């Protein structure tokens, strides 16, 4: 699933998981720890995935920021490319993702180290193949920026290429490398950037969910920010900025603040 920041990729992924009666597990590739990464202060990600799969009837595995897996052996054109690739940690992450997308657990996984009731590697492999859906999501921001250069006077992209539509199977392979890229390009879902009408609609819907005393200052704050949000493609992030500014400017805490507000609520 491809789209700019704040257009709803994670929200849609969680809704899809709910529709499938699956329990979502989100992992972020920049924070992924490969098996064998000892003494790093965190658990290996593959172990966390295995425990989740073992514990739930269905798993919806969301691999976030997928485009960050660039560079290293088999990697693409991203910031990590072109350097010393022999010991790139991204290489091992790509290898582990290749294994689980093929229905196998990496050799470094020791089921005896998993927390919870014992499960054999055979049972865990069956669950991986039959009960796990894997979705890769990312912004591929470099591609989105490149595709929009022509609109501000720069060449380098075709006339009919813009936004998320610039991202195709070749782009995914270029960023992720052939072996991993081929596994994630078979069904690309592109989310369009928000238009001006979308921003105003979101602001109105969010305003109606706020306590009465916050609605007017929120409306004013949104009015001051929406034009900049459209230009800078902030998507729903501008709602968070506007609400934060309103809460900071309030003279005294109100009783209504005791109810926590989040973007999910809005």
């Amino acid at each position: 699933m491809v789209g700019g920041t704040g257009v709803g990729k994670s929200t849609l992924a969680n809704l899809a998981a709910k529709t499938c009666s699956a329990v979502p597990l989100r992992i972020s590739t920049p924070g992924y720890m490969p098996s064998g990464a000892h003494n790093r202060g965190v658990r290996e990600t593959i172990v966390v995935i295995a425990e989740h799969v073992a514990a739930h009837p269905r798993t919806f595995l969301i691999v976030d920021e997928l485009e960050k897996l660039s560079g290293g052996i088999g990697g693409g054109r991203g910031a990590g490319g072109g350097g010393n690739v022999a010991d790139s940690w991204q290489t091992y992450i790509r290898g582990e993702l290749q294994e689980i997308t093929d229905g196998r657990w990496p050799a470094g996984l020791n089921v005896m180290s998993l927390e919870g009731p014992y499960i054999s590697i055979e049972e865990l492999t069956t669950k991986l193949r039959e009960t796990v859906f894997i979705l890769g999501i990312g912004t591929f921001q470099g591609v989105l920026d490149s595709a929009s250069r022509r609109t501000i006077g720069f060449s380098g992209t075709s006339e009919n290429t813009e936004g998320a539509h610039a991202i195709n199977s070749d782009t995914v392979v270029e960023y992720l490398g052939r072996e991993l890229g081929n596994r994630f390009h078979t069904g690309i879902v592109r989310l369009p950037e928000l238009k001006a009408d979308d921003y105003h609609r979101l602001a109105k819907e969010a305003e109606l969910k706020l306590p009465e005393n916050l609605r007017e200052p929120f409306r004013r704050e949104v009015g001051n920010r929406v034009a900049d949000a459209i230009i800078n493609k902030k998507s729903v992030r501008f709602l968070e900025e506007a609400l934060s500014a309103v809460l900071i400017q309030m003279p005294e805490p109100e009783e209504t603040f005791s109810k926590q507000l989040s973007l999910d609520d809005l």
Side-chain angles (χ1 to χ4, degrees):
M1 186 183 297
V2 175
T5 179
V7 298
K9 297 185 298 299
S10 296
T11 299
L12 283 178
N14 288 327
L15 288 173
K18 183 178 181 180
T19 301
C20 297
S21 300
V23 181
L25 173 64
R26 176 189 172 275
I27 63 173
S28 177
T29 55
Y32 194 113
M33 279 292 132
S35 291
H38 300 299
N39 301 318
R40 296 294 299 273
V42 294
R43 305 183 70 203
E44 292 89 344
T45 306
I46 200 69
V47 173
V48 174
I49 296 173
E51 289 178 352
H52 188 93
V53 171
H56 298 98
R58 293 183 181 180
T59 293
F60 202 94
L61 180 60
I62 304 166
V63 186
D64 202 358
E65 298 188 79
L66 191 62
E67 79 280 3
K68 300 294 177 63
L69 283 181
S70 56
I73 298 173
R77 67 179 184 181
N84 179 12
V85 299
D87 59 352
S88 171
W89 64 277
Q90 294 176 335
T91 300
Y92 302 102
I93 294 175
R94 279 195 299 274
E96 289 189 354
L97 289 178
Q98 289 166 17
E99 289 285 283
I100 64 172
T101 52
D102 284 343
R104 298 187 298 265
W105 293 102
L109 177 65
N110 177 11
V111 294
M112 298 300 294
S113 68
L114 303 184
E115 295 181 356
Y118 173 76
I119 183 171
S120 69
I121 189 65
E122 292 78 13
E123 293 172 308
L124 195 59
T125 300
T126 298
K127 293 204 67 175
L128 174 62
R129 293 174 177 174
E130 298 180 358
T131 70
V132 179
F133 183 89
I134 303 175
L135 173 67
I137 64 178
T139 62
F140 289 84
Q141 193 62 49
V143 181
L144 299 180
D145 290 342
S146 176
S148 63
R149 286 184 302 174
R150 185 174 295 277
T151 63
I152 57 175
F154 289 93
S155 60
T157 59
S158 60
E159 293 289 350
N160 61 353
T161 298
E162 62 176 272
H165 292 285
I167 301 174
N168 51 39
S169 59
D170 292 334
T171 308
V172 173
V173 168
E174 189 174 6
Y175 268 73
L176 303 183
R178 178 67 60 185
E179 291 190 8
L180 186 58
N182 283 344
R183 289 162 171 79
F184 279 101
H185 83 266
T186 53
I188 298 176
V189 177
R190 303 177 181 90
L191 302 185
E193 295 175 354
L194 300 186
K195 306 300 183 182
D197 289 346
D198 297 318
Y199 281 94
H200 291 290
R201 176 180 55 80
L202 285 171
K204 184 64 176 178
E205 291 177 357
E207 178 186 330
L208 293 175
K209 295 183 179 182
L210 292 175
E212 186 68 35
N213 64 317
L214 295 182
R215 292 181 183 179
E216 179 59 32
F218 178 76
R219 189 182 309 128
R220 291 196 304 269
E221 194 65 38
V222 163
N224 295 332
R225 293 173 178 269
V226 68
D228 176 73
I230 295 171
I231 293 173
N232 290 296
K233 302 177 182 178
K234 291 189 174 182
S235 300
V236 296
R237 308 294 184 200
F238 95 102
L239 295 177
E240 185 177 28
E241 294 177 358
L243 183 56
S244 296
V246 168
L247 295 177
I248 291 173
Q249 294 167 14
M250 294 298 288
E252 294 181 3
E254 298 283 346
E255 183 178 350
T256 53
F257 292 175
S258 62
K259 179 182 182 299
Q260 293 185 352
L261 297 171
S262 70
L263 280 181
D264 289 338
D265 293 329
L266 300 180

